[in-house]
Amino acid sequence: FFFFFFFFKQKTAYEISACLVGSEMCIRDRCMETSCLDLFRKLVAEKTIAYSAVQTMGHCIKNSKETTTTGLTRELAKVKKDMLELAEKENLLEKTTLSLISAINICEHMLYKDMSMYQKESMQSLREKLASRVKQFAEITLSSRKRAVSNAKEFIRDGQTILTHGYSKLVEEILLSTAEDRRFKVIVTESRPRNFGKTWKAILDKKGIPNKMILDGAIGSVIPDVDYLLVGAEAVLQNGGIVNHIGTLSAAMCAKSFKKPCYVAVECLKFLNIFPLSIKDFGFAIQEKVEEFDNPLVDFTPPEYITLLFTDVGTFTPSAVSDELIQFYHT
């Protein structure tokens, strides 16, 4: 007979408690992640992208159990990553995630500056200050469109003909608000592949604003008769160029060749601190399969084709945008 003896090392109370603490942390992190993503999903359906992102980060700070700034920073980075993945996976934004990235980056930068400023305070006090800052920032985002509309309206006169390409909620609000006391005509492009032209035509017809829709390839034939090109933007980049619906570059080049201004209406929360040379420099997929075509979603319009940008913090030339971004991120 052979006897086999098995010896099992008994865990100490300390080791057991460490395992339990680790499990509790994992459960807590998953609960926090689910709570933040549920809030973000709900807000995106009702509010602006910037407001949704800022409020979600505020929710993370308010409910965080982290006891160090390093832990809180890591938690915010995780929420940022999760929001971007969710937006892309569930197509919450319909377009690219650039506007979401820019809003998060700006909010993140402000929060990290505050963390550095109040690093000697207790975590409870720090969380309260950060939550207060986020609340103020979120309120600013809600009024940003209204201020941008006010700045842009100064450039719209009676009797003008405006060409627009793609679709922008801000451009829509500018045109509808201005139409209350001025008469003008709008030419909308078909804006394939998403056919934003039909969306525009329905909106303008409902409000009684004179308009017509043209093929994307017909811009050259109407540009001599328009006063300017007015578009929105997915993002404004550090060099003052913009990312917008595919075909914006062609429209802007055409406008410049006929000496027509190209105006961009955009909130400052879409200012993105990157400096690309072309659309290929973004490093992520911006393609969409449309019928038999692999069609880009957006294109990059360099600053030399842009006349002015109407924002909620003022009207800028492309070079001034670059100065603003440098000042914000490096002070």
Side-chain angles (χ1 to χ4, degrees):
F1 297 96
F2 296 93
F3 296 93
F4 295 90
F5 295 93
F6 296 90
F7 296 92
F8 296 93
K9 180 180 180 294
Q10 185 175 0
K11 287 190 176 183
T12 65
Y14 175 80
E15 289 173 318
I16 293 174
S17 65
C19 291
L20 289 174
V21 169
S23 299
E24 288 172 358
M25 288 178 66
C26 290
I27 293 170
R28 185 196 71 198
D29 291 345
R30 283 197 297 270
C31 289
M32 170 69 82
E33 177 184 339
T34 302
S35 174
C36 288
L37 293 184
D38 286 344
L39 176 64
F40 178 66
R41 187 185 289 108
K42 178 183 177 182
L43 288 174
V44 165
E46 302 171 354
K47 303 289 185 179
T48 66
I49 296 169
Y51 178 84
S52 303
V54 172
Q55 282 288 62
T56 302
M57 295 181 78
H59 178 80
C60 173
I61 292 169
K62 186 176 179 181
N63 294 279
S64 175
K65 304 299 181 185
E66 295 291 345
T67 57
T68 64
T69 54
T70 301
L72 181 58
T73 299
R74 186 168 55 245
E75 201 165 55
L76 286 171
K78 180 67 167 61
V79 170
K80 172 183 177 179
K81 178 175 177 289
D82 291 342
M83 281 193 288
L84 291 170
E85 288 180 352
L86 181 69
E88 189 169 346
K89 180 181 178 181
E90 298 187 8
N91 198 27
L92 296 180
L93 309 182
E94 294 187 351
K95 301 179 184 178
T96 71
T97 56
L98 284 175
S99 55
L100 176 58
I101 292 171
S102 58
I104 293 174
N105 286 355
I106 290 173
C107 183
E108 203 174 41
H109 180 73
M110 293 175 61
L111 290 174
Y112 292 162
K113 285 179 68 175
D114 281 0
M115 283 185 192
S116 177
M117 186 184 303
Y118 302 119
Q119 60 182 331
K120 294 184 179 181
E121 300 200 16
S122 68
M123 279 302 296
Q124 178 63 28
S125 175
L126 177 62
R127 275 196 297 269
E128 289 174 358
K129 283 183 168 60
L130 294 179
S132 177
R133 169 58 72 93
V134 169
K135 183 179 179 181
Q136 294 173 357
F137 194 42
E139 290 172 354
I140 290 173
T141 66
L142 288 178
S143 59
S144 60
R145 280 184 185 167
K146 184 177 180 180
R147 295 193 301 272
V149 168
S150 177
N151 290 329
K153 285 176 66 174
E154 298 178 9
F155 289 80
I156 301 179
R157 304 282 186 267
D158 277 318
Q160 288 184 332
T161 299
I162 303 167
L163 172 66
T164 190
H165 177 75
Y167 173 75
S168 161
K169 184 65 178 177
L170 177 56
V171 173
E172 177 190 340
E173 291 187 16
I174 290 170
L175 295 180
L176 297 189
S177 176
T178 308
E180 294 175 359
D181 57 14
R182 271 160 269 185
R183 294 287 293 175
F184 52 86
K185 180 180 178 181
V186 181
I187 299 177
V188 299
T189 62
E190 188 182 15
S191 299
R192 283 180 58 83
R194 301 206 170 185
N195 299 315
F196 287 132
K198 293 180 179 179
T199 302
W200 265 122
K201 188 153 184 62
I203 293 169
L204 297 172
D205 285 344
K206 183 178 180 180
K207 295 296 182 179
I209 300 175
N211 69 88
K212 72 174 182 178
M213 183 169 66
I214 63 170
L215 296 172
D216 293 339
I219 292 176
S221 65
V222 301
I223 199 72
D225 301 321
V226 307
D227 290 282
Y228 50 82
L229 170 67
L230 176 62
V231 297
E234 283 282 291
V236 181
L237 309 181
Q238 192 178 27
N239 61 358
I242 66 165
V243 176
N244 195 43
H245 184 74
I246 185 69
T248 301
L249 172 59
S250 301
M253 292 176 69
C254 190
K256 185 173 183 177
S257 67
F258 280 87
K259 295 181 172 55
K260 304 290 183 176
C262 173
Y263 297 140
V264 179
V266 62
E267 301 97 321
C268 68
L269 284 169
K270 291 186 177 182
F271 288 5
L272 193 58
N273 191 34
I274 58 176
F275 200 109
L277 298 177
S278 74
I279 200 67
K280 296 179 181 179
D281 294 335
F282 285 99
F284 55 84
I286 50 172
Q287 298 290 118
E288 180 181 44
K289 187 71 175 178
V290 181
E291 298 172 356
E292 69 272 27
F293 304 103
D294 285 326
N295 199 87
L297 286 171
V298 295
D299 59 23
F300 169 62
T301 302
E304 57 264 30
Y305 297 109
I306 299 168
T307 309
L308 291 173
L309 297 100
F310 306 137
T311 80
D312 47 307
V313 292
T315 300
F316 296 100
T317 61
S319 60
V321 168
S322 178
D323 294 339
E324 287 289 318
L325 275 169
I326 292 172
Q327 183 177 359
F328 177 78
Y329 280 103
H330 299 281
T331 56

